[in-house]
Structure formats: structure tokens, C-alpha cells
Amino acid sequence: NAGVTQTPKFQVLKTGQSMTLQCAQDMNHEYMSWYRQDPGMGLRLIHYSVGAGITDQGEVPNGYNVSRSTTEDFPLRLLSAAPSQTSVYFCASRRAAMNTEAFFGQGTRLTVV
Amino acid sequence: DQQVKQNSPSLSVQEGRISILNCDYTNSMFDYFLWYKKYPAEGPTFLISISSIKDKNEDGRFTVFLNKSAKHLSLHIVPSQPGDSAVYFCAATLPTNAGGTSYGKLTFGQGTILTVHP
């Protein structure tokens, strides 16, 4: 079972470059989310989606775009990378039902120089 | 506005003893609470959860307690083992009848680093 797959695992960007972090899930989950993890800050929600075509902002959305054209995929786009976006990014999916847990990908470690 | 808080950044415990990790929340609308465990270079993995209609849930060595009046939950690990050393996150969700799309969010605390010494 693949679960939630994130690519790439590691990435180094120069300031100003753009890139897309990929996230795919094969569990037919309706809910998907992107988080970033920074020391002392926990997991902060960037963007989330409750279904194909429906996205919303989390706590720290600035500098990131998302779209959800299919149930399976939820890519995160960095429009113009900044050093403040150096972080570890996690994608998660969850079934749309009461009292369900989220499943996480392995993470993408991004460094912006 | 940090709606879920873990005020202890770290906890050190001897093997065999009890580990108690704490979590506070401010939004009384949260109706489901979860604990996740995270090892370095891996994604968080689900550990245990509790619904707001309960005050305790047990799974082997792990027990979660919920005190709704105090808006506080705790995770007890008994007995603690060196393999339990990891970062522990608590998280909370809103009910599906919450406004807008907010029911789709899982809000996390800052995490507590647990170290269990042999």
C-alpha cells in the first residue's frame, strides 16, 4: 500500500525560483492538507482541501498556491522561493467521516538559499 | 492564535517509568483529539485518539485522557521504552457541521520531544 506519496524527498532552490511539491494518495480520501514543520513551531497548516475543486487557506498560506483537480493529487506550488520557506513539508490525507485520523507522507526537506 | 498548545518542549523519562505528555486547547468546538508520533526523517504516524464524548481511551501501553472542562488532554505511556523516544504531537478537529470548510482541518500543537533513557 503506497498511502501518501510525496516527491521530491529533498530539494534545494535559489531565492526567487519556483517549484511544485507533489502529493498523491491512493486511499480515495476526500480531505488533503499541506503542513510545514519548523523547530519549535510544530506542524503549521498551509493549505487544505475538502474535495476536488475545493481548497482553503490554513495558518501560513502566503507564498504558496494549491489546486485540487483530482481526488488523488494535491500539489503545493512555491511561486517565488524565499529563505523563510526553508522547512520540512508534509502532505496528509484523511477520510471524510467522523473521527478519522490523517495519514502523512514521508516529507519533503526544502532548502532555499 | 495557537488553538492547540503543548507547553513542554521536551520530557526526559527513565525506561520503565510513566511518561505523561500534556496538551491544552482553546476552541471548545473541537470534538476529536489525536496524538501522533514522529521519528526523525519520517512523517508523523497516528498513535491514539479520543472523541469528546469520552474521557479516556486506552490502547496497550498508551492511554489518552480528556478533561473538557479544563480543555486539557494528556497522553500516558506506561511503561516507557527507549523506542518511544520521538516527537509527540497532539491535534484536534472540528465537527463536520462546523462552518465553511473548517471541518477539514487538523490543528496541531508544537510538539514535545520525549527521550526515554535505558
Side-chain angles (χ1 to χ4, degrees):
Chain A
N1 257 351
V4 180
T5 303
Q6 289 183 236
T7 54
K9 287 188 168 47
F10 302 94
Q11 183 70 49
V12 178
L13 285 180
K14 293 183 179 177
T15 297
Q17 285 184 317
S18 62
M19 80 159 294
T20 299
L21 308 186
Q22 301 291 346
C23 175
Q25 53 95 5
D26 62 359
M27 297 173 282
N28 207 32
H29 286 172
E30 293 83 356
Y31 301 164
M32 294 187 76
S33 303
W34 276 102
Y35 294 86
R36 58 178 289 174
Q37 185 193 9
D38 303 290
M41 305 294 286
L43 292 164
R44 292 185 293 169
L45 183 63
I46 304 171
H47 286 286
Y48 65 102
S49 170
V50 296
I54 307 170
T55 64
D56 208 342
Q57 296 182 350
E59 295 175 69
V60 287
N62 292 340
Y64 308 95
N65 267 1
V66 291
S67 59
R68 183 101 180 268
S69 54
T70 67
T71 299
E72 295 78 20
D73 299 298
F74 191 44
L76 178 72
R77 279 180 284 278
L78 279 71
L79 309 172
S80 177
S84 60
Q85 293 179 303
T86 293
S87 187
V88 182
Y89 292 84
F90 291 101
C91 178
S93 74
R94 187 161 67 102
R95 191 164 50 93
M98 281 180 59
N99 301 348
T100 58
E101 73 268 27
F103 294 82
F104 281 82
Q106 292 283 75
T108 295
R109 182 173 292 276
L110 175 69
T111 303
V112 182
V113 297
Chain B
D1 176 24
Q2 188 82 29
Q3 294 192 47
V4 178
K5 295 182 185 179
Q6 293 174 257
N7 292 317
S8 298
S10 62
L11 175 67
S12 183
V13 169
Q14 207 67 31
E15 180 178 7
R17 301 287 188 113
I18 184 171
S19 295
I20 300 176
L21 297 103
N22 294 302
C23 180
D24 297 297
Y25 61 95
T26 57
N27 191 340
S28 56
M29 292 284 292
F30 287 139
D31 72 338
Y32 187 57
F33 303 88
L34 308 92
W35 284 95
Y36 279 80
K37 179 177 180 178
K38 187 186 177 306
Y39 291 120
E42 293 184 9
T45 55
F46 170 73
L47 191 56
I48 192 170
S49 62
I50 188 166
S51 164
S52 60
I53 63 172
K54 295 186 175 181
D55 54 18
K56 177 182 174 182
N57 188 27
E58 206 168 345
D59 183 2
R61 296 186 296 114
F62 303 91
T63 303
V64 57
F65 295 92
L66 175 62
N67 182 334
K68 279 181 296 192
S69 60
K71 296 194 183 70
H72 178 83
L73 64 154
S74 60
L75 174 68
H76 293 212
I77 307 173
V78 184
S80 302
Q81 299 173 354
D84 295 329
S85 298
V87 181
Y88 288 79
F89 292 100
C90 65
T93 70
L94 293 167
T96 51
N97 60 358
T101 61
S102 55
Y103 55 87
K105 295 197 288 188
L106 196 58
T107 301
F108 282 85
Q110 304 96 312
T112 296
I113 302 169
L114 173 65
T115 305
V116 181
H117 299 282

